[in-house]
Amino acid sequence: MLKHKDLIELTNDPFYLFKKWYDLACDTEINDPNAMTLATISNNKPSSRVVLLKSYDANGFIFYTN
């Protein structure tokens, strides 16, 4: 059983941590490892949808959807 401390290495670079998790997902997930849930709120109403990650770098993330 994985413990919380096994999943997170302390780092000052959140993109390094994301890359590590994303690479793990790409290696282990059969279907759409780039599928992610994007949640927003507007007028006090939450909304979420599945989007696909197109790319990412130190400037941020680029998502796309149908």
Side-chain angles (χ1 to χ4, degrees):
M1 174 183 232
L2 288 176
K3 296 180 181 177
H4 183 71
K5 66 179 180 136
D6 296 329
L7 296 174
I8 299 175
E9 290 179 15
L10 295 179
T11 178
N12 290 330
D13 185 357
F15 289 100
Y16 169 79
L17 184 58
F18 176 82
K19 179 184 179 343
K20 191 171 176 183
W21 287 348
Y22 186 69
D23 289 346
L24 178 63
C26 289
D27 291 342
T28 58
E29 177 59 43
I30 296 171
N31 299 313
D32 300 322
N34 62 330
M36 301 179 182
T37 302
L38 178 66
T40 58
I41 190 166
S42 179
N43 298 322
N44 292 322
K45 294 181 183 178
S47 176
S48 65
R49 60 203 166 275
V50 175
V51 296
L52 300 177
L53 179 65
K54 184 173 183 177
S55 65
Y56 68 96
D57 60 24
N59 294 314
F61 299 89
I62 297 174
F63 297 101
Y64 65 101
T65 187
N66 290 345

